[in-house]
């Protein structure tokens, strides 16, 4: 792929903007060594309890193993249910192979007494095509014949606020995460041919990163509008997994039947392990531990983590970390990372707003506008999905730069300068 650059006259879109301190470099590192969570979840968080033959088909067991090897601490409690039918006060249903429970006294059901660092909630994955976040979230007709007559049939926003308000009352200042899962698969499972799998799962991953993802972004935004003083963050599992599994992704060659066991789609341990890598990155504010030692060497498939994942572990971790850097508001605050985490001085960079890249997705021609406060020269690298530098160029003055990329796929534009660093994802259709 050849990177062609055309210099254009810059505008003043960034003039007059105050500088803020914000971490955007791929080398950022937070300090969050202890993590205690309560999860209002379902089987896309914890599937092991439903399948006695499964081993670590859940996020918490993998979270604990990752934290343990990074010399961090992790404990967790949780319960099953679809919002708004989750029980409040919590009912402490979960236990795991590896992950310890935070609640050590089973007679003490007082949520606030266990000092949770954060609460995680998620919603059903089959409502997004039929209801917006401000509409009815879920109504179980096993119990309610007419959902419109159910006074408890809350919208997705109201259902999340119900949990948020409860846990904040019990534990003031608690951090709150919305877990963005993956959608229900409506195709044929298992696929009858490779061609069918490519077609149907290709559409599945496109939906996951587009309309489905937009639904969760809207949910987070609407919750923040209602509770602007709350720490409400997003764990964007669905779109990152979709990027890993899609054409040109690091794990594009892994078969759907290696990841999923049905059309729900519930997953085998590998799916929950990859999901845990995203969870760990968000909750601890750091990359998962290097040279992770997998505990399943003597296990057979589908319990054993595939060699394709093990052999690409470092690349997967870096891809996830870089993907999470793109989840920022216009003012520089992260959608996923807490703004009050302790930062390493060496990791701080001076940043105004995100650079503007448009149109994105595009047909191969992109315009890049950098802040007026940028100190030049700035090096721009084009990086593919597996971390390879495809091309690079140095920018020496303020400008709007037109990039012409002649290869389709998903790439990252890494912008590096003096006291300035950023990563922008771009998609060539």
């Amino acid at each position: 792929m050849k990177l062609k650059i055309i210099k254009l006259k810059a505008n003043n879109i960034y003039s007059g903007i105050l500088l803020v301190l914000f971490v955007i470099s791929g080398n950022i590192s937070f300090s969050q060594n202890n993590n205690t969570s309560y999860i209002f979840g379902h089987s896309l968080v914890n599937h092991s309890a439903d399948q006695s033959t499964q081993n670590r088909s859940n996020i918490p067991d993998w979270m604990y193993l990752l934290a343990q090897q990074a010399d961090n601490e992790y404990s967790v409690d949780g319960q099953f249910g679809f919002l708004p039918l989750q029980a409040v006060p919590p009912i402490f249903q979960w236990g795991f192979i590896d992950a310890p429970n935070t609640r050590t006294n089973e007679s003490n059901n007082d949520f606030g007494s266990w000092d949770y660092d954060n609460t995680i909630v998620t919603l059903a994955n089959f409502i997004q095509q039929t209801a917006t976040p401000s509409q009815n979230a879920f109504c179980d007709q096993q119990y309610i014949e007419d959902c419109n007559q159910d006074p408890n049939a809350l919208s997705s926003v109201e259902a999340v606020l119900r949990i948020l308000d409860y846990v904040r009352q019990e534990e003031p200042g608690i951090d709150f995460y919305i877990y963005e899962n993956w959608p229900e698969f409506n195709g044929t499972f298992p696929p009858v041919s490779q061609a069918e799998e490519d077609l149907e799962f290709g559409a599945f991953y496109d939906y996951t990163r587009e309309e489905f993802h937009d639904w969760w972004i809207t949910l987070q935004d609407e919750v923040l509008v209602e509770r602007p003083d709350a720490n409400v963050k997003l764990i964007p599992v669905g779109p990152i997994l979709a990027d890993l599994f899609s054409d040109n992704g690091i794990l594009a060659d892994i078969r759907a039947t290696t990841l999923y066991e049905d059309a729900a789609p519930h997953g085998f341990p590998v799916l929950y392990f990859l999901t845990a890598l995203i969870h760990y990155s968000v909750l601890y504010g750091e990359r998962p531990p290097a040279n992770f030692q997998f505990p399943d060497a003597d296990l057979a498939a589908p319990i054993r983590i595939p060699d394709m994942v093990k052999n690409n572990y470092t690349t997967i971790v870096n891809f996830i970390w870089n993907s999470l850097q793109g989840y920022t508001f216009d003012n520089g605050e992260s959608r996923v990372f807490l703004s009050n985490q302790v930062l390493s001085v060496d990791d701080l960079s001076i940043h105004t707003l995100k650079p503007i890249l448009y149109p994105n997705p595009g047909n191969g021609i992109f315009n890049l506008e950098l802040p007026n406060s940028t100190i030049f020269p700035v090096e721009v690298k084009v990086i593919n999905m597996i971390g390879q530098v495809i091309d690079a160029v140095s920018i020496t003055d303020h400008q709007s730069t037109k990039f012409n990329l002649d290869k389709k796929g998903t790439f990252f534009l890494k912008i590096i300068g003096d006291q300035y660093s950023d990563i922008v994802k771009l998609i060539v259709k």
Side-chain angles (χ1 to χ4, degrees), residues 270-318:
V270 59
L271 188 66
Y272 295 89
F273 168 69
L274 293 169
T275 301
L277 294 178
I278 303 169
H279 270 250
Y280 183 94
S281 300
V282 172
L283 266 61
Y284 285 93
E286 65 183 23
R287 285 180 175 87
N291 303 315
F292 178 71
Q293 299 300 305
F294 290 86
D296 63 353
D298 298 328
L299 299 174
I303 306 303
R304 184 177 183 271
I305 302 298
D307 288 342
M308 185 184 302
V309 172
K310 293 182 178 181
N311 295 338
N312 288 282
Y313 173 78
T314 300
T315 304
I316 292 168
V317 164
N318 289 337

Side-chain angles (χ1 to χ4, degrees), residues 30 32-35 37 59-74 120 177 235 237 272-290 292 313 317 320-321 324 336-337 341:
F30 303 144
Q32 180 79 14
N33 295 324
N34 181 61
N35 199 290
S37 298
I59 297 170
D61 275 335
W62 291 112
M63 283 287 291
Y64 173 74
L65 294 174
L66 291 165
Q68 185 182 48
Q69 293 191 30
D71 293 326
N72 291 329
E73 296 181 7
Y74 177 78
I120 301 170
Y177 292 91
I235 306 177
V237 165
Y272 295 89
F273 168 69
L274 293 169
T275 301
L277 294 178
I278 303 169
H279 270 250
Y280 183 94
S281 300
V282 172
L283 266 61
Y284 285 93
E286 65 183 23
R287 285 180 175 87
F292 178 71
Y313 173 78
V317 164
I320 290 171
W321 186 251
L324 291 171
V336 300
F337 295 119
Q341 288 171 314

Side-chain angles (χ1 to χ4, degrees), residues 78-107:
Q79 65 187 49
F80 290 110
F82 288 123
L83 288 176
L85 303 179
Q86 287 277 12
V88 173
I91 53 179
F92 301 95
Q93 291 177 314
W94 290 356
F96 301 95
I97 297 173
D98 301 297
N101 291 115
T102 302
R103 187 184 69 139
T104 55
N105 181 354
E106 294 186 1
S107 66

Side-chain angles (χ1 to χ4, degrees), residues 38 40 83 86-88 90 111 117-122 154 156-178 219-233:
Y38 191 93
F40 293 85
L83 288 176
Q86 287 277 12
V88 173
F111 180 90
D117 295 313
N118 55 70
T119 296
I120 301 170
V121 299
T122 190
L154 306 177
S156 296
V157 175
E158 292 169 332
V160 172
L161 290 173
R162 171 176 170 259
I163 303 296
L164 175 61
D165 290 344
Y166 171 81
V167 299
R168 292 179 77 199
Q169 178 180 344
E170 294 293 310
E171 189 68 49
I174 193 170
D175 300 322
F176 194 88
Y177 292 91
I178 298 172
L219 173 64
Q220 183 191 22
D221 286 347
E222 293 188 2
V223 169
L224 284 167
V225 167
E226 296 296 328
R227 302 293 185 272
D229 61 329
N231 283 330
V232 178
K233 300 299 181 180

Side-chain angles (χ1 to χ4, degrees), residues 273-388:
F273 168 69
L274 293 169
T275 301
L277 294 178
I278 303 169
H279 270 250
Y280 183 94
S281 300
V282 172
L283 266 61
Y284 285 93
E286 65 183 23
R287 285 180 175 87
N291 303 315
F292 178 71
Q293 299 300 305
F294 290 86
D296 63 353
D298 298 328
L299 299 174
I303 306 303
R304 184 177 183 271
I305 302 298
D307 288 342
M308 185 184 302
V309 172
K310 293 182 178 181
N311 295 338
N312 288 282
Y313 173 78
T314 300
T315 304
I316 292 168
V317 164
N318 289 337
F319 173 79
I320 290 171
W321 186 251
N322 289 335
S323 296
L324 291 171
Q325 309 314 311
Y327 285 85
T328 57
F329 295 108
D330 289 343
N331 67 355
E333 181 183 353
S334 175
R335 281 190 180 274
V336 300
F337 295 119
L338 294 173
S339 59
N340 61 351
Q341 288 171 314
V342 179
L343 306 177
S344 166
V345 174
D346 293 336
D347 293 327
L348 291 175
S349 60
I350 295 177
H351 190 56
T352 55
L353 294 180
K354 295 282 291 180
I356 297 176
L357 182 70
Y358 63 93
N360 190 18
N363 61 4
I365 299 177
F366 298 87
N367 295 293
L368 175 68
E369 295 179 354
L370 298 176
N372 280 347
S373 58
T374 302
I375 299 175
F376 295 96
V378 169
E379 184 179 20
V380 178
K381 296 180 179 180
V382 179
I383 302 171
N384 66 14
M385 293 281 285
I386 62 174
Q388 297 172 324

